[in-house]
Structures are given as structure tokens and as C-alpha cells.
Amino acid sequence: MSEPAPERTMAVGPRSTATPSGDVPGQVRTFLYRDGLRERETDTVQEAHREVAADPGLMVWVEMKAPNSTQLTELARTFGLPALALEDTIVAHQRPKAETYGDVLYLVLRPAEYDEVYERIGIGEVHLFASENVAVTIGHTEHIDLENVRQRVESEPRILRQGTLAVVHGVLDAVVDAYAPAVSALQQDIDELETQVFDGDPQATGRVYRLTREVILLQRAVDPLGPVLQELMASPEHSGPDRPDRPRTHGPDPDRVLLHHHMRDVADHVTAAREHVDGFRQLLEDIMSVNNSLIDQDRNEAMKKISSWGGILVVPALIASFYGMNNAPEDAVHWVFSWPVTLVIMVLSAVALYGVFRRYDWL
């Protein structure tokens, strides 16, 4: 049987989100910024494009929520976004990655949310385009509020003055911060699972498999972010004449260094999340191994008890079967004490075997 298409494979998991296949348009908002401060909101992306083309000192931030393919195609045509990246955005279900197309940086991020009631990881998807003065954030998820992200970025004009890479940092920071509650909740459930296993709960085995599946889903979202952050942190400036394949930063050098420090902080959080998730995977494997050992131990104890009782009953059964034969010796059968002696021997043999098995902890 052939493997499913890669973009469908990435969609595996509870409550994964996808780009709408219908013609229902999503929400689109467009904002203009100058020197880290918001000037105004425009009515259409075409209007924002005309403003930026006429005034290079402006930066535009297009915020889209669950757009349809028509809106995405119009956006790409207006701002000249790369066709291959647009195709990935329409199909969705991509692994986290960072790609450059000329002076356009394209990011795919996968925010996560953990449902503690059903013990499920919900995986969303955020796409981001960043060029010199155009930033586009596209949300295919309910697990992160891009409007709140924008408001938080706007509250730090010194960072936003750096241009579109400040938007990249803001979205990355929000996505990575959302992993912390999921990691914490998983840790709590795994701790409960350990207690459940050692208490001999028969439901523990199924829970181990369920939590392992959720950890794998979270791992697929977190692990690829390491190379993404390494690429973005190649130099304190993130871009420059020697790196024409990246969006340029603006503002004075101290602000560039500050942005770099913020990126390093995000990278540290990613590293911590990756270490926790990788540790969860190994811990669950160890728990499964211990659980299987305990199950085997219980089965061995049961088999020892069954074998012991079988051994206790076999001697009386042999004696009874001997006396039940049709060709039994005449004298032994008619002796007045034959049956009492036989019963005493049967009882004594059973008691003796019971004592032996008790002594060796088989019963």
C-alpha cells in the first residue's frame, strides 16, 4: 500500500486544523506602521500595498484568520509572494520550517494546546511571510490568538522598530510560550500514570499508549523549531548586505542587539521544550517496559498458583483412579481399613504438598 501524501501525514492528530476548502472568506486586517508605531488600519490589502510602495518608511502587517484560497491568491498577487510558498499555505499541514525565496522569509509554525480532560494535544498551524517592509501572518488555528500577538508586539515599539523580523519574533515567542502549559500538563499526567502503573491499575496500559501518541504529536511540532531558530540567529543583525536572502532589520544597533537577545530567549525556551518532550518519550517507554514487567510478574504468580493447586490435586487423583480401576486387588478392596487408609493418605499427601508450595511462596 502506498504512503499517504506528506501534507496529509502532517495533519495526523486530534483536532488538527486545515485550510478551509470552501469559499467562505476569512478575516483580514491590514495595519501600517512607522518607526515602531501604528499609524492606521487600511480597508484593503491593495490600499496598504499602494501606501507602502509610495512611502518606503512604512511597514505593513497583514493579519489573516482562516482565509480561503481566493484571498490567499489575491494577497500573493498584490505583494508578489512566492508561488511555491503560497501553494504550501493553501494546502497547509506542513511541518515547521523556515524557507527563503529571494528577500521573502517564509515560516510555518505549529502551535499546540493540551486538553487535560481528554488528554489530547490539539495542533494548529500558523504561516508567516516577512519581506523588507511587509509582514503577513496567516492563522489556521484556534490555539493561538494572532490579534493578541499583534497587540503584544505593538506594546514594544523599540522592538517593532526593527521591522518585519520583530513580527517574526512576536509570533515565534507566542507559539513557543504556548508549549509550556502543554508540557506542564503532560508532565502531570505522566506522573499520575506512574502511580497508576505501580498500583496495578488495568487501565494503565491503554493510557500509556494514548499519552505516547500525544507526546509524538507535540514532538513533531517542537523538534523542527531548533533549526528554524538557528537560521534566524545566524548573526546579531539577522540580515544585512552579506545576507540578501533575509528581511532587513531597521533601527539603531542597540535595538538590533536587543532583538537578537529576544530571539535567543525564544531559542532557549524551544530547547527546554524539546528536552522535556524528548524526556517524556523516553520516560513513557520506560513506564511501558515496567508495566509489561509487572503484567508478566502477575501472570507468573497466577501460573504458579494454578500449577501448585494442580500438583496438590494430582496425587489424590492418582490414588482415586487406582482404586477406581475394575481390576483392583481383591484383598485390598475388601480389607476393612482400605478406604479409611486411602482417604488419610490422600489428605496427608495434599496437606504435605500444600506445605511445600507455601514454603516456596507458590501459594
Side-chain angles (χ1 to χ4, degrees), residues 143-186:
H143 307 318
I144 184 172
D145 191 339
L146 290 176
E147 185 173 351
N148 288 340
V149 174
R150 175 177 50 77
Q151 292 173 357
R152 187 165 67 175
V153 173
E154 290 176 350
S155 67
E156 298 183 90
R158 185 180 175 187
I159 300 298
L160 188 53
R161 191 183 302 147
Q162 291 300 308
T164 57
L165 280 177
V167 178
V168 173
H169 164 263
V171 176
L172 268 170
D173 189 38
V175 170
V176 173
D177 284 349
Y179 292 143
V183 169
S184 178
L186 272 172

Side-chain angles (χ1 to χ4, degrees), residues 42-287:
T42 64
D43 295 330
T44 63
V45 294
Q46 290 79 8
E47 180 184 351
H49 177 259
R50 289 193 297 268
E51 293 283 350
V52 171
D55 187 351
L58 290 174
M59 184 192 83
V60 58
W61 185 343
V62 180
E63 179 185 302
M64 309 183 79
K65 181 177 181 180
N68 59 21
S69 57
T70 302
Q71 289 175 302
L72 290 172
T73 303
E74 184 64 25
L75 175 76
R77 184 182 300 114
T78 301
F79 290 105
L81 300 181
L84 290 176
L86 176 66
E87 179 181 346
D88 288 345
T89 304
I90 293 175
V91 173
H93 306 311
Q94 306 295 317
R95 288 182 66 88
K97 60 182 179 179
E99 297 176 344
T100 53
Y101 297 86
D103 63 345
V104 178
L105 174 67
Y106 174 56
L107 283 179
V108 178
L109 305 173
R110 305 209 77 182
E113 184 179 57
Y114 187 63
D115 187 333
E116 297 186 48
V117 177
Y118 296 100
E119 294 185 349
R120 291 180 177 179
I121 287 287
I123 302 294
E125 196 161 325
V126 173
H127 296 245
L128 192 150
F129 292 91
S131 61
E132 184 171 357
N133 55 1
V134 177
V136 180
T137 53
I138 303 168
H140 299 300
T141 178
E142 298 295 333
H143 307 318
I144 184 172
D145 191 339
L146 290 176
E147 185 173 351
N148 288 340
V149 174
R150 175 177 50 77
Q151 292 173 357
R152 187 165 67 175
V153 173
E154 290 176 350
S155 67
E156 298 183 90
R158 185 180 175 187
I159 300 298
L160 188 53
R161 191 183 302 147
Q162 291 300 308
T164 57
L165 280 177
V167 178
V168 173
H169 164 263
V171 176
L172 268 170
D173 189 38
V175 170
V176 173
D177 284 349
Y179 292 143
V183 169
S184 178
L186 272 172
Q187 178 69 71
Q188 181 177 350
D189 284 342
I190 291 174
D191 291 342
E192 293 175 359
L193 177 62
E194 287 182 307
T195 303
Q196 206 174 346
V197 167
F198 286 108
D199 287 345
D201 190 337
Q203 304 296 324
T205 301
R207 193 178 185 188
V208 171
Y209 283 114
R210 289 197 304 272
L211 287 177
T212 300
R213 180 188 60 186
E214 304 310 314
V215 168
I216 291 173
L217 288 173
L218 185 58
Q219 193 174 36
R220 288 177 179 173
V222 175
D223 278 0
L225 288 181
V228 171
L229 267 299
Q230 289 178 1
E231 174 66 16
L232 292 174
M233 293 176 58
S235 68
E237 294 80 12
H238 304 290
S239 63
D242 59 330
R243 295 301 302 267
D245 59 335
R246 296 187 186 180
R248 297 175 181 273
T249 57
H250 305 284
D253 288 340
D255 292 348
R256 296 184 184 182
V257 174
L258 179 62
L259 178 59
H260 176 65
H261 290 167
H262 280 294
M263 284 286 192
R264 287 181 58 184
D265 182 62
V266 175
D268 290 342
H269 291 172
V270 169
T271 301
R274 291 177 65 188
E275 289 175 352
H276 277 95
V277 174
D278 292 343
F280 291 162
R281 185 83 177 268
Q282 183 60 50
L283 183 58
L284 285 169
E285 290 178 1
D286 294 341
I287 291 174

Side-chain angles (χ1 to χ4, degrees), residues 309-328:
W309 286 111
I312 290 172
L313 296 175
V314 69
V315 174
L318 284 173
I319 296 173
S321 63
F322 174 77
Y323 273 89
M325 292 189 299
N326 294 329
N327 58 348

